[in-house]
Amino acid sequence: MNIVVLVKQVPETDALTLDLETGTVKRSPAASIVNPLDLYALEAALRLKDKDPGIRISVLSMGPPSAEVACREALSMGCDEACLLTGAGFAGADTWATARCLASAVQKLGPFDLVLAGEKATDGDTGQVGPEVAAFLGYPVVTYASSLELQSGDRACWIRAGRITEESTQVVDCPLPAVLTFC
């Protein structure tokens, strides 16, 4: 089984400052961290790998060269490989462009059985990239995931995910390949 986890380097919230002229967040590599919700996705992938060492985990990020730190952090946690999409052309990409680039990279680097991501990034708070990646790939998506298990039957393998709702936790079975976003 091959898993890819999408990670983003974001400003640490305690160190956020705004550029008053442009209205955008000033980004400093020194005050950046891995998006906290992406860490839940990484943890879910690593838990699956603990149960089955044959699972390969790749990390994919899109950002400035300094986002290499986020990739290296994921590798230090036990992921097998990392890829950083970087370049001036990616700067300021909206969610659609980001998702399109990430989905293209997933297709090129894959095949992957699972694409995992945080539900949203703390610097954008849209929650759109994961579902958009799923749409570009033509994969089903499970949002607001809180747990993940691999399941298998006679000839098929699928996932069972806990999904947080306002009232309770749903249990969702989903065929592979699939995209999950964690909260």
Side-chain angles (χ1 to χ4, degrees):
M1 166 162 286
N2 293 316
I3 300 172
V4 62
V5 182
L6 309 179
V7 299
K8 183 176 184 186
Q9 187 182 48
V10 296
E12 191 167 1
T13 42
D14 292 344
L16 280 179
T17 57
L18 291 177
D19 181 324
L20 297 178
E21 283 187 30
T22 64
T24 59
V25 174
K26 290 183 184 178
R27 296 180 184 269
S28 163
S32 296
I33 59 171
V34 175
N35 181 51
L37 295 176
D38 295 343
L39 292 174
Y40 294 142
L42 275 169
E43 180 183 0
L46 291 166
R47 284 183 182 206
L48 292 177
K49 187 174 181 171
D50 284 346
K51 292 179 183 175
D52 180 355
I55 291 175
R56 286 200 47 84
I57 303 172
S58 300
V59 174
L60 176 60
S61 186
M62 182 175 135
S66 61
E68 181 182 337
V69 173
C71 292
R72 288 187 183 280
E73 185 175 339
L75 290 170
S76 73
M77 292 176 179
C79 295
D80 299 297
E81 59 188 7
C83 178
L84 173 61
L85 304 177
T86 191
F90 295 123
D94 63 10
T95 61
W96 186 92
T98 299
R100 185 73 186 120
C101 292
L102 291 171
S104 293
V106 166
Q107 289 173 320
K108 184 165 181 76
L109 298 170
F112 292 103
D113 303 292
L114 275 172
V115 179
L116 306 180
E119 184 252 326
K120 59 186 174 185
T122 57
D123 66 345
D125 210 31
T126 66
Q128 296 173 346
V129 172
E132 287 175 336
V133 167
F136 284 123
L137 294 172
Y139 291 0
V141 62
V142 177
T143 56
Y144 303 105
S146 60
S147 64
L148 172 62
E149 297 175 5
L150 290 178
Q151 304 290 314
S152 59
D154 292 338
R155 287 184 229 121
C157 185
W158 70 94
I159 56 161
R160 177 164 290 156
R163 184 174 182 275
I164 297 173
T165 69
E166 289 181 15
E167 293 84 29
S168 64
T169 300
Q170 292 178 329
V171 176
V172 178
D173 286 347
C174 184
L176 297 175
V179 174
L180 275 78
T181 63
F182 284 81
C183 61

